[in-house]
Amino acid sequence: MGKNNFKIMLTNMRAKLQAKQASKSISKRVESIRIQTELLRTLVAVVIAFAVALIIILCVSKQPMEAFKYLVIGPLMKPRYFNQVLVQMVPLALTGLALAIMLKAGQFNLATEGSFILGGVLAAFFAIKVALPMGIHPILAIIFGIIGGAFICVVPAILKLSFGISEMVVSLMMNYIALRIGNTIIRGALLDESAGILTTEQFHETAQMHTIPVGELEIQVALIIMVIVVVGFYVYLSKTRSGYALQLSGLNGKFLAFSGIGASGLILASQIMGGAVAGGAGAMYTLSNLERYDLVNTFPNKGFDGMIVTILARNNPLLVPIAAFFLAYVREGAEIMSRHTDVSVEIMSIIQGVIIIFVAGQALFSKMQNKRIIKEVANG
Amino acid sequence: MDDFFNIIFSNEFLVSILRLSTPILFAALGALISNKAGVVNIGLEGIMLFAALFGVLGCSWTGNLFAGGLIGVLIGAFVSALLAFSTLYLKSDTILTGVVINLVGAGGTIFFLEVFTGDKNVSTSIVSEVFPTLEIEAIKDVPFIGGLLSGHNVLTWVAIALAILLWFVVNKTHFGIKLKAVGENPVAASSLGIPVKNYRFIAIVLSGVLASVGGIFLSMGYVSFFASNMTAGRGFIALAAEAMAMGNPLFTLLSSLLFGFMSALAIAFGSSGFMAIFNEIFEMMPYVATIVALIVYAVIAKQKNKMKEVKNGKSLGKGIQNDVRRRPSGIRRR
């Protein structure tokens, strides 16, 4: 109730101020207050999460201070460690971006996990079964992965549009279907009988994605592709007509229909794009970091990790790499800590959980934000 | 191949179907009760993992089976209360928070396992008890009936009883009907003075409790230890079972049994070596079957509505009817 009253008040005030022709600057200032609140919330979340981590470390560790030091500044201690942050960041950013695109169209499509898996398996298939020259081999393998990823994510959208079935339930099913299709492909065609565990044969040398040495760092080609993809999607969403319509379809599909733009095509397109990005992420992850693809029976959670990134980045494509970098940094810090001290790496999942609960909580600081906005508007 | 048929025509196979169905049924009933209140609880998987771990830990701390189970369920309830608090009071998105609960469950249980026992991945260094199985000597060896009635875990019978109880609670009690009102139309429910948030909170915690019992069945019935990621997607399969049953507890029992049957078949294919690739196919079947079932329901609902329209001679207001029809009652988002 309070919120509605407030909204009415705000619109009244806006109307008055419009007469004074000052509305533009007001809305800008209101927007900046919103951004400040979001920043504050993120900061508080991070501080609380690390405080929780410190308390846990104090409880379980015999060398707590050293452990905490590794957790916080570990990745900065050696170029090799920092490099690892960048390596971890690529799949996080891409799956986060994939999810952000699909959420922009108002679809709760959680099939990025499946897309990531199937993309990886199909790339592995291509890397093992086909012999091609150096430059073309990975490109074709990635395209293969992209097609697989897009297929997984588009099924929920098709069923939603043609039968009205909840895309979220179907997308969860698609994750498992993708996992099992992947396993069937591996078992059926790629298995290395001589290896002790269930894993594929080794990829062809030509299929592997290489790194570019920059100073002391080894930049993955995948990282460069990621940056291009992120910038591309930012430009598409904010500077093109169809990107704008896509955002509108998520905010208010009916309005879009009234203005004469069909939403279904946009929804389909956005799910294909999201699935393609997640599938490509899986393919690139496989080709840059692995030499064989292991058979798994549970999710590697690489696609679901994208959800944490999306929440941290508030669905904003430009913030996705920053959020992914932060998350990769925390994970690498936890890994270095577990290698040097007696605290295990899984503490990072608790840190993530605490951060997300506070960042995703829209209600936190909302009172303070509203007060500030009212003040700002009243002062006009 | 003979091996394979020996396996699937034995009483043990029947028992294994029920054993595989039990955790799915518990979690599916959990999914059902939160869905009734209009909240999709995706965090079931993580909640089950937490309960499974702390059930085993509690049992080794107290030395008592039931105390251990209780500790597991309480921790599961606590995690689901966190989910409820976060979505209802901090207004975070239910689905995203649920996924995060799963991620925290996957990593956090490994962390706590190592903190409390020093083990990584499997709790081998602590001793925990298991819930007993009920053998009925008289009919144990009778084909089919023996497998149907004897040799099941206590918790399996509890799960079946709960499915029936839940049907009664949802359809015949004040609480259940208010719960459905909250799920179907929160605004109308709140205008009648039903505290929507409270009902949703209770529903989420109850769903966590039910999933937790499924979790402790895994670590204290199915096997006698905790292993990392031992739920292996049963929280998700439970969502599928609930969706397939369209929110009816008794149908949920049937769909859980169907999924248990498919898992048992997959294991039989895997262990007999007879066309091992079918292992993967049958593991996939529950999910495919759910999608197919959802499509069939949607088509049937469409046909029914069309028939009604023709009967009543209605053609006006079609747009509104379309909107209403688009939301089958079992699957509701948020």
Side-chain angles (χ1 to χ4, degrees), chain A residues 2 26 75 82 91 96-97 115 123-124 140 162 185 215 256 299 312 318 323 328 343 349 372:
Chain A
I26 282 285
F82 191 76
L97 182 71
S115 290
L140 282 178
S162 43
I185 293 172
L256 201 65
F299 291 142
L312 276 178
L318 273 192
V343 184
S349 67
R372 281 189 62 192

Side-chain angles (χ1 to χ4, degrees), chain A residues 116-300:
Chain A
F116 190 92
I117 295 171
L118 197 63
V121 173
L122 289 179
F125 180 87
F126 217 76
I128 293 166
K129 287 287 166 188
V130 183
L132 280 171
M134 205 99 161
I136 310 167
H137 201 165
I139 294 175
L140 282 178
I142 293 169
I143 290 173
F144 226 52
I146 286 174
I147 294 169
F151 165 72
I152 293 296
C153 276
V154 81
V155 172
I158 290 175
L159 294 184
K160 166 83 175 261
L161 293 172
S162 43
F163 297 108
I165 303 169
S166 156
E167 77 281 10
M168 194 207 67
V169 174
V170 177
S171 67
L172 288 176
M173 307 297 115
M174 287 312 288
N175 282 336
Y176 272 95
I177 292 172
L179 178 75
R180 295 300 166 187
I181 291 177
N183 279 2
T184 311
I185 293 172
I186 294 175
R187 268 188 208 263
L190 308 175
L191 223 48
D192 183 2
E193 306 290 349
S194 64
I197 47 167
L198 287 171
T199 185
T200 66
E201 293 165 35
Q202 217 151 13
F203 302 162
H204 283 303
E205 195 80 8
T206 49
Q208 251 143 28
M209 288 175 78
H210 292 285
T211 56
I212 304 164
V214 177
E216 287 194 72
L217 298 176
E218 293 272 327
I219 302 293
Q220 285 189 334
V221 179
L223 180 73
I224 299 164
I225 297 176
M226 181 214 91
V227 172
I228 295 170
V229 171
V230 166
V231 172
F233 268 104
Y234 171 73
V235 171
Y236 167 71
L237 283 174
S238 57
K239 307 281 179 215
T240 68
R241 200 181 127 86
S242 115
Y244 188 70
L246 191 145
Q247 298 208 40
L248 211 56
S249 76
L251 293 172
N252 194 340
K254 286 220 175 91
F255 174 74
L256 201 65
F258 279 124
S259 55
I261 306 170
S264 16
L266 280 170
I267 288 176
L268 269 185
S270 71
Q271 308 308 299
I272 290 173
M273 284 189 278
V277 171
M284 288 200 283
Y285 173 80
T286 308
L287 299 178
S288 351
N289 301 321
L290 307 176
E291 290 180 341
R292 308 158 168 274
Y293 201 97
D294 293 344
L295 194 82
V296 286
N297 276 314
T298 51
F299 291 142

